[in-house]
Amino acid sequence: MSRKSFYYHFKDKYDLVAWIFDENFIAIVKKEPKDAWTFMELLCSYLYENRDFYRKVLAIEGQNSFSAHFEELLFPMIQNRLQTVYAGKELHPICIDFVVDGLLCSLKRWLLGKYDIPAEEFVDILHSLIGNAATIYAS
C-alpha cells in the first residue's frame, strides 16, 4: 500500500490500530450475548490471545493513541452497565468514574504484564471484586 493510499484511509498508525481492534473485537461481540460478564470475558479473551500486539500499542500514550481509543470505547459501555445495575439508585458521577477508571486501569495493567494470569482467571477476580463492592454499596 502506498503512503498516499494509507493516509487516504487512516489519519495515522494509531487510527489503523483502533480500526483493527474495532473490526476484530466488534465482530466477536456481535456473535455473542451482550450481558456484562459475557462482554468482559470476550474482551479479555480477545486481548489475551493478542496480548503481544496490544501490549505494544497500549504502552504508547498521547494524542490519537490506542490507549485513548480503548478508554473512549469502553468508558460509556461500562458506565451504562453500572447505571443499569444500580437502576433506581442515584449514583454520584464520581462513583461511576471511580469504578470505570479502576476497571480500565486494571485491564491495562493486566495486559501490560503486571498480573501474569489468563483471561478467565482475571475476569473471575474482577467479577468477585465488583460483586462484593456492589453488595457493600447496596447495604
Side-chain angles (χ1 to χ4, degrees):
M1 175 182 276
S2 72
R3 180 179 286 270
K4 186 176 178 180
S5 293
F6 177 86
Y7 285 107
Y8 176 77
H9 294 286
F10 303 103
K11 291 183 289 191
D12 54 25
K13 61 186 175 184
Y14 304 115
D15 193 33
L16 171 62
V17 171
W19 179 82
I20 290 169
F21 177 77
D22 293 350
E23 287 295 309
N24 292 326
F25 180 66
I26 300 304
I28 293 168
V29 171
K30 284 181 180 178
K31 295 178 188 175
E32 297 288 334
K34 292 172 184 67
D35 69 82
W37 289 110
T38 300
F39 173 81
M40 191 57 68
E41 288 167 3
L42 290 169
L43 173 66
C44 291
S45 293
Y46 171 77
L47 292 171
Y48 190 75
E49 289 168 14
N50 300 286
R51 67 187 173 277
D52 292 337
F53 176 74
Y54 286 106
R55 277 182 179 160
K56 291 174 185 166
V57 297
L58 275 172
I60 301 166
E61 296 286 338
Q63 185 178 7
N64 298 334
S65 68
F66 176 71
S67 185
H69 176 74
F70 188 68
E71 288 180 23
E72 286 172 15
L73 180 71
L74 292 180
F75 195 96
M77 290 178 179
I78 297 167
Q79 184 179 38
N80 289 338
R81 182 60 190 153
L82 283 173
Q83 289 169 335
T84 301
V85 168
Y86 291 107
K89 285 193 171 218
E90 189 171 329
L91 280 180
H92 193 282
I94 198 167
C95 296
I96 294 169
D97 289 346
F98 179 79
V99 173
V100 175
D101 288 342
L103 185 55
L104 289 171
C105 184
S106 294
L107 274 167
K108 284 182 182 179
R109 286 181 178 165
W110 168 68
L111 243 171
L112 291 170
K114 182 170 183 172
Y115 315 114
D116 190 23
I117 56 176
E120 186 177 286
E121 187 177 341
F122 179 71
V123 172
D124 286 344
I125 291 168
L126 289 178
H127 195 208
S128 175
L129 285 170
I130 293 171
N132 289 336
T135 303
I136 292 168
Y137 182 78
S139 15

